[in-house]
Amino acid sequence: MSPALGGWRPATAPAAFAAEDIAHVLQFVRHPVHVVREDTSGQLGLAMGGELVSAGGSDISLMGTLPPMYPEWLGGREFCEAHGIRFPYVTGAMANGIATPELVVAMADAGMLGFFGAGGLSYGQVERGLADIQERLAGRTGVAWGANLIHSPNEVSLEARVAELFIARGVRIVEASAFMKLTPAVVHYALSGLSTDPAGTIVRRNNVVAKISRPEVARMFMEPAPAALVSALQAAGKLTAREAELARYVPVAEDITVEADSGGHTDNRPLSALLSEIVLLRDNLAQQHNLGRRVRVGAGGGVSTPQSVAGAFAMGAAYVVTGSVNQSCVESGLSAQARGMLAKAGVADVMMAPASDMFEMGVNLQVLKRGSMFGPRAKKLYEWYAASPNLATVVAEHGPELEKILGLSVDEVWAETERYWADRDPAVLELASRDPKYQIALLFRWYLGKSSRWAIDGDPGRVLDYQIWCGPSMGAFNSWVAGSYLEPLEQRSADQVALNLLEGAAHITRAQQARACGVPVPASAFRYIPRPLSL
């Protein structure tokens, strides 16, 4: 056993050696706590305050002191400093505007970072969303917020236009998601505005937070952009010669979010394995490229309870990202009906189903299974698509069942599809006229796209078709808040959810610190019950 630092004498409160008393002392996370030993029995306990006296001057010895524990200190200070935020906490961009301007502003008000859910929206909708956020934050300096740039292989021009809109509107942080390769759009945004300060240090105007779930994708973002891609952007007049030169010395993204088993697009990887892999890759690449700029690695997916937040930080995450739980919050773009369905979800009430934006590639996303038939129906549509050469074959073999799923006739759905793409991208219709299988995909994507909109709008006639992105973490969150202040939907504000997760993580981290010192910490000290909190 380590030698004592001296004797300890109480000022007002005695030392805690009983399990109940130890748990009580551990609640005071913002105060230093002493690890003490009762000399006669050798039992370890905790104490607050008091004074250090000479050895032998007390029958209680001071073994060490745990410093104050603040939620702000749980993650990487560099992340908070780089983005001007107080807490290492991010709300991810839930597509189709589910991560609303209200949610983004709520996070900014709380000293956290929120991303607007621009993915899946039209150019005009993205433009209006950005204007709304900027109007709400007008006149305020030093507040951080961002928006989502989603990889859109079927709408390359829209991806490029949205990236250029972010540059033009001064969106300083972008969450890049669902990328399988680097595209001109994301590289253009990342490198635009690169400069140096008087000391010669490279300064970034735009910051990319890349959400990844595979090492090969993480590598692309953690390395400098490919020279050929940079040269092409320079030749097109999108980058200056100076920006292209500086691009050699910076990674595309300086923040990498490791997305484990999550709602929406996911590879269902466990966080413990994936985070370790990406951190090791980060360190190896730093040595290989000698960039002098440390890439920060955060954790998302499965983060919905104090235990999971504390665990992510204990594994070295610089910040945490929440997703599914924010959909049930009052600022969410989801309808009250859909949010109520989320509030009833258990950890097993999810399944994988085809994704609308990458339907033809067979890409899946994770959705809520309980209360909705969207998952099984979407999977059936993909099976028909894969097995059929043209729409006529699908109709001949599955016509009645198909129209039951669609809720309209095939002709009605195709007419709506034509009107949609004629306005959004007429080239899509031209391709469909030449490729019968692509026509099937467009028709089926109507259902996949509409199902998300029905959940957002709360269409009472299509509840069984609601597409609600959700991971197992939603069930864990519901179990944690059951019977507490945060169980009612009307109490679930995004800032209160965030503050309670961070506060709970601080309590659990403090309890683990004491246990690592040999103190017999009771199991109750690892349970944190949500409560109203102030900033």
Short mmCIF file of all heavy atoms in Angstrom, two decimals, residues 226-266:
data_model
loop_
_atom_site.label_atom_id
_atom_site.label_comp_id
_atom_site.label_asym_id
_atom_site.label_seq_id
_atom_site.Cartn_x
_atom_site.Cartn_y
_atom_site.Cartn_z
N PRO A 226 -5.77 14.70 -51.98
CA PRO A 226 -4.97 14.23 -53.12
C PRO A 226 -4.58 15.39 -54.04
O PRO A 226 -5.39 16.26 -54.34
CB PRO A 226 -5.91 13.26 -53.83
CG PRO A 226 -6.86 12.81 -52.77
CD PRO A 226 -7.05 13.98 -51.86
N ALA A 227 -3.32 15.37 -54.47
CA ALA A 227 -2.81 16.48 -55.29
C ALA A 227 -3.62 16.66 -56.56
O ALA A 227 -3.87 17.80 -56.99
CB ALA A 227 -1.34 16.21 -55.63
N ALA A 228 -4.05 15.56 -57.18
CA ALA A 228 -4.81 15.67 -58.43
C ALA A 228 -6.14 16.38 -58.21
O ALA A 228 -6.56 17.21 -59.04
CB ALA A 228 -5.05 14.28 -59.01
N LEU A 229 -6.77 16.10 -57.09
CA LEU A 229 -8.05 16.74 -56.78
C LEU A 229 -7.87 18.22 -56.49
O LEU A 229 -8.64 19.07 -56.95
CB LEU A 229 -8.70 16.03 -55.60
CG LEU A 229 -10.15 16.38 -55.23
CD1 LEU A 229 -11.06 16.36 -56.45
CD2 LEU A 229 -10.66 15.41 -54.16
N VAL A 230 -6.81 18.54 -55.78
CA VAL A 230 -6.51 19.95 -55.48
C VAL A 230 -6.19 20.71 -56.76
O VAL A 230 -6.67 21.83 -56.98
CB VAL A 230 -5.34 20.05 -54.48
CG1 VAL A 230 -4.92 21.51 -54.28
CG2 VAL A 230 -5.73 19.42 -53.13
N SER A 231 -5.40 20.10 -57.63
CA SER A 231 -5.04 20.75 -58.90
C SER A 231 -6.27 21.01 -59.76
O SER A 231 -6.39 22.06 -60.39
CB SER A 231 -4.03 19.89 -59.66
OG SER A 231 -2.83 19.77 -58.94
N ALA A 232 -7.19 20.04 -59.78
CA ALA A 232 -8.41 20.20 -60.57
C ALA A 232 -9.26 21.35 -60.03
O ALA A 232 -9.83 22.14 -60.80
CB ALA A 232 -9.21 18.90 -60.56
N LEU A 233 -9.33 21.47 -58.71
CA LEU A 233 -10.09 22.57 -58.11
C LEU A 233 -9.43 23.92 -58.40
O LEU A 233 -10.10 24.92 -58.66
CB LEU A 233 -10.22 22.36 -56.60
CG LEU A 233 -11.17 21.25 -56.16
CD1 LEU A 233 -10.98 20.94 -54.68
CD2 LEU A 233 -12.62 21.64 -56.43
N GLN A 234 -8.10 23.94 -58.40
CA GLN A 234 -7.39 25.18 -58.72
C GLN A 234 -7.62 25.55 -60.19
O GLN A 234 -7.87 26.72 -60.52
CB GLN A 234 -5.90 25.02 -58.44
CG GLN A 234 -5.10 26.30 -58.69
CD GLN A 234 -3.61 26.12 -58.46
OE1 GLN A 234 -3.16 25.05 -58.04
NE2 GLN A 234 -2.83 27.14 -58.77
N ALA A 235 -7.54 24.55 -61.07
CA ALA A 235 -7.74 24.81 -62.50
C ALA A 235 -9.15 25.32 -62.78
O ALA A 235 -9.36 26.11 -63.70
CB ALA A 235 -7.46 23.54 -63.29
N ALA A 236 -10.11 24.87 -61.96
CA ALA A 236 -11.50 25.31 -62.14
C ALA A 236 -11.77 26.66 -61.49
O ALA A 236 -12.90 27.17 -61.56
CB ALA A 236 -12.44 24.26 -61.56
N GLY A 237 -10.75 27.24 -60.87
CA GLY A 237 -10.91 28.55 -60.25
C GLY A 237 -11.56 28.52 -58.88
O GLY A 237 -11.93 29.56 -58.35
N LYS A 238 -11.66 27.33 -58.29
CA LYS A 238 -12.31 27.22 -56.99
C LYS A 238 -11.32 27.36 -55.83
O LYS A 238 -11.73 27.62 -54.70
CB LYS A 238 -13.06 25.88 -56.89
CG LYS A 238 -14.21 25.77 -57.90
CD LYS A 238 -14.98 24.47 -57.70
CE LYS A 238 -16.11 24.34 -58.73
NZ LYS A 238 -17.11 25.40 -58.57
N LEU A 239 -10.03 27.16 -56.10
CA LEU A 239 -8.99 27.37 -55.10
C LEU A 239 -7.92 28.29 -55.68
O LEU A 239 -7.62 28.22 -56.88
CB LEU A 239 -8.34 26.04 -54.69
CG LEU A 239 -9.19 25.03 -53.92
CD1 LEU A 239 -8.38 23.77 -53.65
CD2 LEU A 239 -9.70 25.62 -52.60
N THR A 240 -7.35 29.12 -54.83
CA THR A 240 -6.25 29.97 -55.27
C THR A 240 -4.96 29.16 -55.24
O THR A 240 -4.89 28.08 -54.65
CB THR A 240 -6.10 31.18 -54.35
OG1 THR A 240 -5.71 30.74 -53.04
CG2 THR A 240 -7.41 31.97 -54.26
N ALA A 241 -3.94 29.70 -55.86
CA ALA A 241 -2.63 29.03 -55.85
C ALA A 241 -2.12 28.90 -54.42
O ALA A 241 -1.51 27.88 -54.05
CB ALA A 241 -1.64 29.81 -56.71
N ARG A 242 -2.36 29.92 -53.60
CA ARG A 242 -1.91 29.88 -52.21
C ARG A 242 -2.65 28.80 -51.44
O ARG A 242 -2.04 28.04 -50.66
CB ARG A 242 -2.13 31.24 -51.55
CG ARG A 242 -1.66 31.34 -50.10
CD ARG A 242 -0.19 31.05 -49.97
NE ARG A 242 0.31 31.33 -48.62
CZ ARG A 242 1.43 30.83 -48.13
NH1 ARG A 242 2.19 30.02 -48.88
NH2 ARG A 242 1.82 31.14 -46.92
N GLU A 243 -3.96 28.70 -51.62
CA GLU A 243 -4.74 27.66 -50.94
C GLU A 243 -4.28 26.26 -51.37
O GLU A 243 -4.16 25.35 -50.55
CB GLU A 243 -6.23 27.85 -51.24
CG GLU A 243 -6.83 29.08 -50.56
CD GLU A 243 -8.20 29.44 -51.11
OE1 GLU A 243 -8.55 28.97 -52.22
OE2 GLU A 243 -8.90 30.23 -50.45
N ALA A 244 -4.02 26.10 -52.66
CA ALA A 244 -3.56 24.81 -53.16
C ALA A 244 -2.20 24.44 -52.59
O ALA A 244 -1.93 23.27 -52.27
CB ALA A 244 -3.50 24.85 -54.69
N GLU A 245 -1.33 25.42 -52.41
CA GLU A 245 -0.01 25.16 -51.85
C GLU A 245 -0.12 24.75 -50.38
O GLU A 245 0.49 23.78 -49.94
CB GLU A 245 0.85 26.42 -51.97
CG GLU A 245 2.15 26.40 -51.17
CD GLU A 245 3.13 25.34 -51.65
OE1 GLU A 245 3.00 24.86 -52.80
OE2 GLU A 245 4.03 24.97 -50.87
N LEU A 246 -0.94 25.46 -49.61
CA LEU A 246 -1.08 25.16 -48.18
C LEU A 246 -1.80 23.85 -47.94
O LEU A 246 -1.65 23.24 -46.87
CB LEU A 246 -1.84 26.30 -47.49
CG LEU A 246 -1.12 27.66 -47.44
CD1 LEU A 246 -2.02 28.72 -46.83
CD2 LEU A 246 0.19 27.55 -46.66
N ALA A 247 -2.56 23.40 -48.93
CA ALA A 247 -3.31 22.14 -48.79
C ALA A 247 -2.39 20.95 -48.54
O ALA A 247 -2.81 19.94 -47.97
CB ALA A 247 -4.15 21.89 -50.04
N ARG A 248 -1.15 21.06 -48.93
CA ARG A 248 -0.18 19.96 -48.74
C ARG A 248 0.18 19.74 -47.28
O ARG A 248 0.72 18.70 -46.92
CB ARG A 248 1.09 20.25 -49.54
CG ARG A 248 0.87 20.31 -51.04
CD ARG A 248 2.00 21.05 -51.75
NE ARG A 248 3.31 20.58 -51.31
CZ ARG A 248 4.47 21.21 -51.56
NH1 ARG A 248 4.44 22.36 -52.24
NH2 ARG A 248 5.61 20.71 -51.15
N TYR A 249 -0.13 20.72 -46.43
CA TYR A 249 0.36 20.67 -45.05
C TYR A 249 -0.75 20.49 -44.02
O TYR A 249 -0.48 20.56 -42.81
CB TYR A 249 1.14 21.95 -44.74
CG TYR A 249 2.24 22.20 -45.74
CD1 TYR A 249 2.10 23.18 -46.73
CD2 TYR A 249 3.40 21.44 -45.73
CE1 TYR A 249 3.10 23.41 -47.65
CE2 TYR A 249 4.41 21.67 -46.66
CZ TYR A 249 4.25 22.65 -47.62
OH TYR A 249 5.25 22.87 -48.55
N VAL A 250 -1.98 20.27 -44.46
CA VAL A 250 -3.08 20.10 -43.52
C VAL A 250 -3.93 18.88 -43.91
O VAL A 250 -4.05 18.57 -45.09
CB VAL A 250 -4.01 21.34 -43.46
CG1 VAL A 250 -3.26 22.54 -42.91
CG2 VAL A 250 -4.60 21.65 -44.83
N PRO A 251 -4.50 18.19 -42.94
CA PRO A 251 -5.44 17.13 -43.29
C PRO A 251 -6.74 17.75 -43.80
O PRO A 251 -7.04 18.92 -43.51
CB PRO A 251 -5.66 16.41 -41.95
CG PRO A 251 -5.40 17.46 -40.92
CD PRO A 251 -4.33 18.35 -41.48
N VAL A 252 -7.51 16.98 -44.52
CA VAL A 252 -8.80 17.49 -45.00
C VAL A 252 -9.69 17.85 -43.81
O VAL A 252 -10.35 18.89 -43.81
CB VAL A 252 -9.49 16.44 -45.90
CG1 VAL A 252 -10.89 16.92 -46.30
CG2 VAL A 252 -8.65 16.16 -47.14
N ALA A 253 -9.70 17.01 -42.80
CA ALA A 253 -10.50 17.27 -41.60
C ALA A 253 -9.61 17.16 -40.36
O ALA A 253 -8.80 16.24 -40.26
CB ALA A 253 -11.65 16.28 -41.49
N GLU A 254 -9.78 18.07 -39.44
CA GLU A 254 -9.02 18.01 -38.19
C GLU A 254 -9.85 17.45 -37.04
O GLU A 254 -9.36 17.33 -35.92
CB GLU A 254 -8.46 19.39 -37.85
CG GLU A 254 -7.40 19.80 -38.87
CD GLU A 254 -6.70 21.11 -38.52
OE1 GLU A 254 -6.61 21.43 -37.32
OE2 GLU A 254 -6.26 21.80 -39.46
N ASP A 255 -11.11 17.11 -37.33
CA ASP A 255 -11.96 16.44 -36.36
C ASP A 255 -12.60 15.24 -37.04
O ASP A 255 -13.21 15.37 -38.12
CB ASP A 255 -13.06 17.37 -35.84
CG ASP A 255 -12.48 18.52 -35.03
OD1 ASP A 255 -11.91 18.25 -33.96
OD2 ASP A 255 -12.60 19.67 -35.48
N ILE A 256 -12.47 14.07 -36.44
CA ILE A 256 -13.02 12.83 -36.98
C ILE A 256 -13.98 12.25 -35.95
O ILE A 256 -13.58 11.93 -34.83
CB ILE A 256 -11.91 11.80 -37.28
CG1 ILE A 256 -10.91 12.35 -38.30
CG2 ILE A 256 -12.52 10.48 -37.75
CD1 ILE A 256 -11.46 12.52 -39.70
N THR A 257 -15.23 12.12 -36.33
CA THR A 257 -16.21 11.48 -35.45
C THR A 257 -16.31 10.00 -35.81
O THR A 257 -16.69 9.65 -36.92
CB THR A 257 -17.60 12.13 -35.60
OG1 THR A 257 -17.53 13.50 -35.23
CG2 THR A 257 -18.62 11.43 -34.70
N VAL A 258 -15.97 9.17 -34.86
CA VAL A 258 -16.09 7.72 -35.05
C VAL A 258 -17.55 7.35 -34.80
O VAL A 258 -18.05 7.46 -33.68
CB VAL A 258 -15.17 6.97 -34.08
CG1 VAL A 258 -15.42 5.48 -34.15
CG2 VAL A 258 -13.72 7.28 -34.39
N GLU A 259 -18.24 6.94 -35.86
CA GLU A 259 -19.66 6.62 -35.75
C GLU A 259 -19.83 5.11 -35.59
O GLU A 259 -19.64 4.35 -36.54
CB GLU A 259 -20.43 7.11 -36.96
CG GLU A 259 -21.93 6.88 -36.84
CD GLU A 259 -22.70 7.35 -38.06
OE1 GLU A 259 -22.10 7.53 -39.13
OE2 GLU A 259 -23.92 7.54 -37.93
N ALA A 260 -20.17 4.69 -34.40
CA ALA A 260 -20.39 3.27 -34.13
C ALA A 260 -21.85 2.92 -34.44
O ALA A 260 -22.47 3.54 -35.29
CB ALA A 260 -20.02 2.97 -32.69
N ASP A 261 -22.40 1.95 -33.75
CA ASP A 261 -23.77 1.48 -34.00
C ASP A 261 -24.76 2.61 -33.72
O ASP A 261 -24.98 2.99 -32.58
CB ASP A 261 -24.05 0.28 -33.09
CG ASP A 261 -25.31 -0.47 -33.50
OD1 ASP A 261 -25.89 -0.16 -34.56
OD2 ASP A 261 -25.71 -1.38 -32.76
N SER A 262 -25.36 3.15 -34.78
CA SER A 262 -26.15 4.36 -34.65
C SER A 262 -27.43 4.26 -35.45
O SER A 262 -27.67 3.30 -36.18
CB SER A 262 -25.34 5.56 -35.14
OG SER A 262 -25.13 5.46 -36.55
N GLY A 263 -28.26 5.31 -35.33
CA GLY A 263 -29.42 5.42 -36.19
C GLY A 263 -28.98 5.92 -37.56
O GLY A 263 -27.93 6.51 -37.72
N GLY A 264 -29.81 5.67 -38.58
CA GLY A 264 -29.47 6.12 -39.93
C GLY A 264 -28.36 5.31 -40.54
O GLY A 264 -28.23 4.10 -40.31
N HIS A 265 -27.49 5.98 -41.32
CA HIS A 265 -26.37 5.29 -41.95
C HIS A 265 -25.42 4.76 -40.88
O HIS A 265 -24.93 5.51 -40.04
CB HIS A 265 -25.60 6.25 -42.86
CG HIS A 265 -26.35 6.62 -44.11
ND1 HIS A 265 -26.52 5.74 -45.15
CD2 HIS A 265 -26.97 7.76 -44.47
CE1 HIS A 265 -27.22 6.34 -46.12
NE2 HIS A 265 -27.51 7.56 -45.72
N THR A 266 -25.14 3.48 -40.89
CA THR A 266 -24.25 2.90 -39.90
C THR A 266 -23.71 1.57 -40.39
O THR A 266 -24.35 0.88 -41.19
CB THR A 266 -24.98 2.68 -38.55
OG1 THR A 266 -24.10 2.09 -37.60
CG2 THR A 266 -26.19 1.75 -38.73
#
